[in-house]
Amino acid sequence: MKKLIAIVLSLMTVFALVACAQPAAAPAAAAPAAGDASQTYAIITKSAGNPYNEREASGFEEAIKAAGYTAIIKHPAEITAEAQITLINELVAQGVSGIAVAANDKDALETALKAAMTAGIKVVSLDSSVNPASRMTHINQAGVQQVAQALADAVLDLTKGEGDWAILSATSTASNQNAWIEAQKEIMKGDKYSKLNLVEVAYGDDEYQKSVDQTQALLQNYPNLKVICAPTTVGIAAASKVITDAGLQGKVIVTGLGLPSEMAEFMGSGDVACPYMFLWNPIDVGRVAAYALVEMVNGSLTGELGQSFTAANGTTYTVTEAGDGGTEIIIGPPFAFTADNIAEWKTVY
Ligand code: RAM
């Protein structure tokens, strides 16, 4: 018995010594073997309390976990660049392997993200891009031109070709909304849109109540308003609620980019607040960001133009040229949700 206890004790000592010999944390630049749980990948969304951002983060987390790694999800309390910089600095100090960020400002994250890349951390933006110097590539849900064209044609159709319309956006510094709005304005310089009058671009900051207030102000200030186009899931839901509560369905029409689960109650046949709108799968946006970061850490992806890789879902993604001079990976075209398919999609995302 004594002998057995002695053996057990000496084995415990050996295990303890081996455990102590392990480094406390792997250096950030090191690339451990695939499936090594010490690889940690973080996603920073635009802000807390937005179901779109939660879907995006859930796709990221799912793909990172499926690959055997650790996922960190950060939803900043405020929809600001400052809140995101604090989180980036913390993640750099922690020595994570990769960071995906949906930017609240194109340029303001540059110093923090450059410091991350210098420390060997792989960096991509998703959903809302940072400038090319601040990222290795951008994961774009859909082509900017495609989104802008869909929105321009929806405004043309829903106004029946003439009259006042307004945009209800997210924050004034959001690079995704700003890119869509700029491209939409450019498209709408064309002849067929010449009888349309954009009265205002309002900003609800992706906050529900502020978006409600902004919608009410638009209704008050522009009595002939025909269409509100909201390229934000928070804005389109808030505007649709205001129109429905005011009984203005069929008189002021809402369209834009919406989450089916939030918009189903405002869609359908007859006079509804929103006859149709567009989006993509936000869960996929998070997944593809995760795939790209994992490939950057463990494979040869650097985000350079022309590269491609096949992800764990079997899809091959290609790095293409982005409109801002950097590169991006485009996931697919925007999808239209109508009275005919909204019931089918409202439970998906
Ligand atoms: C909001 C966010 C997000 C955008 C969608 C369409 O949830 O602003 O960045 O992609 O709308």
Side-chain angles (χ1 to χ4, degrees), residues 31-334:
D36 180 344
S38 71
Q39 276 188 31
T40 300
Y41 295 86
I43 182 170
I44 303 174
T45 68
K46 279 181 166 179
S47 63
N50 177 350
Y52 177 97
N53 297 340
E54 283 153 21
R55 305 274 188 309
E56 191 174 76
S58 75
F60 183 86
E61 183 177 31
E62 177 216 290
I64 293 296
K65 281 189 174 167
Y69 305 127
T70 306
I72 298 178
I73 295 175
K74 300 280 186 192
H75 297 296
E78 307 278 320
I79 188 158
T80 61
E82 290 70 31
Q84 294 189 315
I85 290 168
T86 304
L87 292 172
I88 293 165
N89 292 342
E90 282 170 16
L91 293 166
V92 172
Q94 215 174 311
V96 297
S97 309
I99 298 175
V101 59
N104 284 327
D105 187 298
K106 214 172 172 45
D107 300 315
L109 309 183
E110 185 169 329
T111 307
L113 291 176
K114 275 186 171 166
M117 290 189 282
T118 303
I121 298 170
K122 308 300 179 191
V123 172
V124 298
S125 48
L126 81 166
D127 184 53
S128 189
S129 61
V130 287
N131 67 29
S134 311
R135 67 181 199 238
M136 295 174 70
T137 195
H138 173 61
I139 310 304
N140 203 346
Q141 47 272 53
V144 169
Q145 286 303 320
Q146 287 172 308
V147 174
Q149 188 67 58
L151 296 178
D153 288 344
V155 172
L156 184 71
D157 173 39
L158 296 170
T159 52
K160 299 197 171 62
E162 56 181 6
D164 289 354
W165 69 287
I167 291 176
L168 173 62
S169 191
T171 59
S172 62
T173 56
S175 37
N176 54 346
Q177 270 88 16
N178 285 349
W180 297 323
I181 292 169
E182 279 319 304
Q184 189 177 358
K185 283 182 179 168
E186 208 44 51
I187 290 169
M188 293 178 80
K189 286 180 181 165
D191 275 357
K192 66 175 174 171
Y193 309 97
S194 64
K195 291 184 180 147
L196 289 167
N197 179 32
L198 172 60
V199 292
E200 190 179 327
V201 180
Y203 297 96
D205 290 350
D206 270 353
E207 284 173 21
Y208 189 78
Q209 191 53 48
K210 185 160 184 201
S211 305
V212 164
D213 297 345
Q214 291 293 315
T215 306
Q216 277 159 349
L218 287 173
L219 294 176
Q220 212 158 31
N221 295 340
Y222 308 103
N224 299 323
L225 194 64
K226 284 181 156 181
V227 165
I228 297 174
C229 181
T232 141
T233 59
V234 179
I236 195 175
S240 299
K241 176 84 168 104
V242 171
I243 298 302
T244 305
D245 286 353
L248 288 173
Q249 301 97 318
K251 296 193 181 70
V252 181
I253 298 173
V254 182
T255 192
L257 306 175
L259 207 53
S261 54
E262 293 188 300
M263 288 299 292
E265 63 178 299
F266 307 115
M267 299 178 71
S269 48
D271 275 342
V272 287
C274 176
Y276 60 89
M277 50 125 202
F278 307 85
L279 201 72
W280 42 82
N281 184 339
I283 307 167
D284 276 346
V285 181
R287 282 191 190 117
V288 178
Y291 295 145
L293 284 178
V294 166
E295 191 66 24
M296 284 173 169
V297 173
N298 299 298
S300 52
L301 185 70
T302 60
E304 264 163 62
L305 187 64
Q307 290 182 325
S308 63
F309 71 100
T310 302
N313 63 353
T315 304
T316 297
Y317 296 99
T318 303
V319 180
T320 56
E321 197 175 347
D324 61 3
T327 68
E328 67 182 3
I329 292 171
I330 297 182
I331 300 176

Side-chain angles (χ1 to χ4, degrees), residues 18-34:
V18 168
C20 288
Q22 298 301 313

